[in-house]
């Protein structure tokens, strides 16, 4: 048995997407890279996928994770999709620098795509080189795993490897490849691709595939397609509420970056808020602020409308009936979003059961945060430490608000409200700490880790991955990572790096 066959035994691919008709994708192999070198393997994730980390770290394992070797059973392909980018229709996008290697069923019984990102040009590359560079790859690694630690549905990162090539962006950077693991790579844009081509058969096959694989209950419904839309809207509402409750800005919520199962995918110029500013935009290409923090729920709905429009021909032959069913299905988004956001913010404030006036208390806090430039994550985390009956630790929070009189008045209202709950300080503190992270992937730390890595120092990258595994747990050895950036450390803009 040669190495490849030995390793192939470790990958038991079952490639359902590759069994769809040829017009769904283009089959091709990754481009070979000169000197693959593993930067990091996510050993825990490998184990969850039923893979042997020790084998993946061997030279042949690294060849696989960098696209030089295709294990038996893999069927690499670039998926076809279209999308609305910044509101503009683009009829053909597709995987321009990624290849789906195949699907693995993990120990939890869930089927996941294994995808190489940065694996060379494909017929969908247009003007791009099909490559990825070190900085954005490490960014995706840290932030996607950070999101997972925060309990937010996300594509995961199995590995990052250097390719040994230099890739031209603003200057030459080391080339890198990321192995992405996600429950699906079907996007809103995949549905739009078939709908725009008036390929109703393809559209139906795609919808049936998604129902079979991800939403089997929808398949039992009277109208499986409107049920599918409804399920997708619920997943999106849940996801966006989680983003909004932890200060995450995706940055490029184009319909091709909105995955159908409700996992966060396509980490480009994404960022976490430091100070709370609802109109905050980090992405260098988002000139109009379309994807500003506070716009995200509206944009998710806009994207769902695109999905609904694409699915109209499946839902009913009668256009009026199709439109009203689509409207009804998508309508669930606002209900679930409000529900999730409300219960989430209530829990962040330490309230157990919602009563009248709670949302006003939350809105007022956010307002004072914005007025005073208070740090979003730290405000909530420090509120956990306050006592209902004594003001001993108030200074830590008041400090974030520049000791503003308005915030002091808010604190009085918050305390009065907490008294109704009757929870003791220790119990409230531990409950609040499970929903208010101490650590988030702060932009300045991520950037610093990337700068160090470009100088061959992966120390900070490793530390960040460690701390973000348990972001709700106070880790005293890393307490400096809780701090917001100093003025000179502030990151004002983030880049796609494509
Ligand atoms: P994104 O903004 O990363 O979601 O990418 C939008 C589209 O551009 C997708 O079709 C990508 O596959 C493609 N793309 C992004 N970067 C590259 C690249 N370096 N080479 C080829 N295609 C790319
Ligand atoms: Mg994309």
């Amino acid at each position: 048995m040669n190495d490849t066959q030995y390793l192939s035994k470790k990958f038991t691919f079952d490639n359902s997407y590759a069994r769809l008709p040829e017009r769904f994708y283009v089959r091709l192999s990754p481009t070979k890279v000169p000197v693959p070198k593993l930067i990091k393997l996510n050993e825990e994730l490998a184990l969850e996928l039923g893979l042997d980390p020790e084998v993946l770290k061997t030279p042949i394992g690294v060849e696989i994770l960098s696209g030089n070797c295709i294990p038996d059973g893999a069927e690499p392909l670039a998926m076809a999709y279209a999308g609305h980018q910044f509101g503009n229709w683009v009829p053909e996008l597709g995987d321009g620098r990624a290849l789906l290697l195949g699907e693995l069923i993990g120990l939890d019984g869930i089927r996941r795509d294994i995808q190489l990102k940065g694996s060379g040009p494909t017929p969908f590359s247009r003007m791009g080189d099909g490559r990825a560079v070190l900085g954005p790859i490490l960014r995706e690694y840290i932030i996607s795993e950070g999101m997972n630690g925060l309990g937010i549905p996300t594509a995961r990162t199995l590995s990052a490897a250097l390719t040994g090539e230099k890739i031209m962006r603003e200057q030459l950077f080391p080339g890198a490849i990321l192995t992405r693991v996600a429950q699906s790579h079907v996007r809103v844009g995949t549905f739009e691709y078939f709908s725009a081509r008036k390929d109703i058969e393809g559209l139906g096959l795609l919808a049936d595939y998604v129902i079979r694989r991800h939403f089997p209950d929808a398949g039992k419904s009277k109208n499986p397609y409107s049920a599918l839309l409804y399920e997708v809207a619920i997943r999106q509402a849940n996801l966006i509420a989680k983003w909004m409750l932890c200060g995450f800005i995706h940055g490029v919520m184009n319909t091709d970056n909105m995955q159908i199962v409700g996992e966060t995918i396509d980490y480009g110029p994404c960022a976490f808020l430091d100070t709370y500013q609802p109109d905050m935009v980090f992405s260098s290409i988002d000139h109009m602020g379309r994807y500003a923090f506070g716009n995200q729920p509206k944009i998710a709905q806009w994207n769902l409308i695109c999905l609904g429009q694409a699915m109209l021909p499946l839902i009913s032959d009668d256009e009026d009936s199709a439109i009203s069913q689509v409207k009804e299905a998508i309508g669930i988004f606002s209900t679930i979003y409000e529900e999730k956001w409300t219960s989430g913010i209530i829990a962040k404030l330490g309230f157990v059961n919602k009563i009248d006036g709670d949302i006003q208390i939350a809105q007022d806090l956010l307002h004072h945060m914005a007025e005073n430039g208070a740090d979003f994550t730290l405000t909530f985390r420090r509120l956990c430490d306050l006592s209902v009956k004594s003001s001993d630790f108030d200074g830590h929070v008041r400090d974030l608000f520049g000791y503003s009189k308005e915030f002091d008045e808010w604190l009085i209202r918050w305390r009065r409200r907490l008294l109704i709950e009757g929870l003791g300080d220790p119990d409230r503190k531990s409950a609040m700490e499970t929903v208010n992270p101490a650590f988030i992937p702060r932009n300045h730390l991520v950037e610093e880790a990337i700068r160090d890595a470009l100088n061959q120092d992966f120390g900070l990258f490793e530390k960040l991955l460690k701390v973000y595994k348990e972001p709700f747990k106070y880790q005293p050895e890393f307490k400096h990572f809780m701090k917001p950036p100093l003025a000179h450390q502030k990151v004002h803009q983030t880049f796609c790096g494509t």
Side-chain angles (χ1 to χ4, degrees):
M1 189 162 64
N2 66 31
D3 284 350
T4 319
Q5 284 165 335
Y6 168 68
L7 199 83
S8 298
K9 277 170 57 102
K10 308 286 171 186
F11 282 93
T12 39
F13 285 112
D14 177 57
N15 307 324
S16 61
Y17 208 79
R19 293 195 283 271
L20 288 167
E22 296 280 336
R23 63 189 190 282
F24 279 64
Y25 48 78
V26 177
R27 289 181 193 267
L28 82 160
S29 293
T31 307
K32 296 229 186 281
V33 304
V35 194
K37 185 167 173 256
L38 191 63
I39 298 168
K40 177 82 182 164
L41 175 70
N42 187 340
E43 300 196 17
E44 280 171 27
L45 179 58
L47 289 170
E48 287 167 33
L49 291 167
L51 299 171
D52 182 344
E54 294 314 314
V55 175
L56 287 173
K57 286 193 277 188
T58 62
I60 187 80
V62 178
E63 294 280 336
I64 289 181
L65 296 174
S66 57
N68 274 0
C69 168
I70 300 164
D72 281 359
E75 295 174 85
L77 57 88
M79 290 166 71
Y81 53 85
H84 280 88
Q85 297 192 309
F86 291 92
N88 301 310
W89 171 241
V90 186
E92 185 167 295
L93 288 161
D95 290 333
R97 56 162 175 168
L99 289 176
L100 174 63
L101 270 188
E103 298 154 32
L104 289 179
I105 297 171
L107 301 186
D108 56 5
I110 296 178
R111 178 186 293 267
R112 291 186 179 82
D113 288 357
I114 310 295
Q115 195 204 56
L116 296 177
K117 184 166 177 181
S119 51
T122 77
F124 302 113
S125 296
R126 291 164 293 153
M127 308 297 277
D129 57 8
R131 289 301 186 188
V133 294
L134 182 62
I137 291 295
L138 297 185
R139 222 181 133 67
E140 172 151 356
Y141 202 140
I142 298 169
I143 301 184
S144 64
E145 287 305 302
M147 293 287 271
N148 183 60
L150 288 164
I152 301 174
T154 178
R156 305 282 309 270
T157 300
L158 177 62
S159 65
L162 286 163
T163 62
E165 285 172 317
K166 292 271 185 241
I167 306 292
M168 195 57 181
R169 292 292 181 262
E170 311 85 73
Q171 62 184 74
L172 286 173
F173 284 110
I177 292 190
L178 180 123
T179 309
R180 176 156 82 170
V181 177
Q183 288 196 32
S184 174
H185 285 89
V186 173
R187 306 135 193 274
V188 168
T190 320
F191 283 85
E192 290 179 295
Y193 179 87
F194 291 102
S195 153
R197 280 161 184 71
K198 308 230 178 314
D199 180 355
I200 309 305
E201 190 209 1
L203 191 65
L205 288 171
L206 177 68
D208 291 342
Y209 172 81
V210 169
I211 290 171
R212 239 185 354 263
R213 178 166 171 186
H214 305 290
F215 301 100
D217 285 348
K220 296 177 202 144
S221 166
K222 203 164 86 213
N223 188 329
Y225 303 118
S226 57
L228 169 62
L229 196 52
Y230 183 83
E231 294 294 336
V232 173
I234 291 176
R235 295 278 180 105
Q236 284 301 324
N238 184 43
L239 179 69
I240 309 296
K242 286 184 188 255
W243 288 1
M244 301 304 286
L245 290 164
C246 77
F248 177 76
I249 313 182
H250 182 281
V252 222
M253 288 178 72
N254 295 334
T255 57
D256 53 303
N257 292 337
M258 185 167 179
Q259 183 242 38
I260 219 74
V261 188
E263 291 177 328
T264 315
I265 61 160
D266 274 15
Y267 290 91
C270 59
F272 279 83
L273 289 179
D274 290 305
T275 53
Y276 176 73
Q277 284 169 268
D279 57 355
M280 190 63 201
V281 175
F282 285 99
S283 167
S284 62
I285 52 171
D286 191 1
H287 307 296
M288 310 292 282
R290 179 180 169 90
Y291 300 137
F293 178 72
N295 282 356
Q296 298 186 120
K298 264 195 303 202
I299 292 292
Q301 278 174 294
W302 194 92
N303 290 349
L304 285 169
I305 293 169
C306 291
L307 178 62
Q309 230 154 21
M311 287 178 64
L312 280 173
L314 296 180
I315 288 175
S316 172
D317 292 336
D318 175 59
E319 204 181 339
D320 290 341
S321 157
I323 290 174
S324 79
Q325 288 187 64
V326 162
K327 275 192 186 153
E328 197 189 321
I330 294 173
I332 192 68
F333 178 94
S334 7
T335 314
I336 301 287
Y337 176 78
E338 283 303 318
E339 219 174 271
K340 297 279 172 183
W341 186 84
T342 303
S343 57
I345 202 84
I346 295 291
K348 280 174 88 71
L349 288 168
F351 308 157
V352 181
N353 295 307
K354 180 174 160 281
I355 59 171
D356 280 353
D358 282 355
I359 292 305
Q360 197 56 52
I361 294 180
Q363 298 289 14
D364 290 346
L365 175 65
L366 293 173
H367 171 76
H368 297 317
M369 273 189 206
E371 287 286 292
N372 296 287
D375 186 83
F376 181 77
T377 304
L378 217 47
T379 296
F380 284 108
R381 186 70 184 190
R382 288 193 180 167
L383 280 178
C384 308
D385 299 330
L386 300 203
S387 159
V388 177
K389 293 192 177 133
S390 117
S391 55
D392 285 358
F393 299 104
D394 286 12
H396 293 301
V397 191
R398 294 174 63 213
D399 186 40
L400 299 172
F401 291 79
Y403 295 88
S404 99
K405 203 168 114 282
E406 289 78 18
F407 177 68
D408 286 348
E409 283 163 11
W410 182 88
L411 262 186
I412 295 170
R413 277 168 63 209
W414 178 65
R415 276 213 168 83
R416 218 182 283 140
R417 168 65 181 88
L418 283 179
L419 278 173
I420 303 174
E421 292 291 345
L423 266 190
D425 286 341
D427 286 344
R428 198 197 50 259
K429 178 178 160 73
S430 34
M432 284 176 76
E433 285 182 349
T434 63
V435 289
N436 290 312
F439 303 98
I440 49 150
R442 291 190 182 269
N443 308 317
H444 68 293
L445 295 173
V446 175
E447 296 296 320
E448 194 184 329
I450 292 171
R451 271 198 305 276
D452 288 357
L454 288 168
N455 291 315
Q456 280 88 45
D457 175 1
F458 290 86
L460 183 57
F461 168 70
E462 293 281 351
K463 278 187 195 154
L464 293 182
L465 287 183
K466 186 156 183 263
V467 75
Y468 298 142
K469 258 187 205 162
E470 292 184 287
F472 296 100
K473 187 172 124 192
Y474 178 60
Q475 303 170 62
E477 70 277 31
F478 294 127
K479 69 171 192 272
H480 49 292
F481 293 149
M482 289 171 72
K483 288 193 187 138
L486 299 169
H488 73 277
Q489 293 173 312
K490 263 203 180 125
V491 173
H492 298 283
Q493 240 186 4
T494 50
F495 302 87
C496 283
T498 56

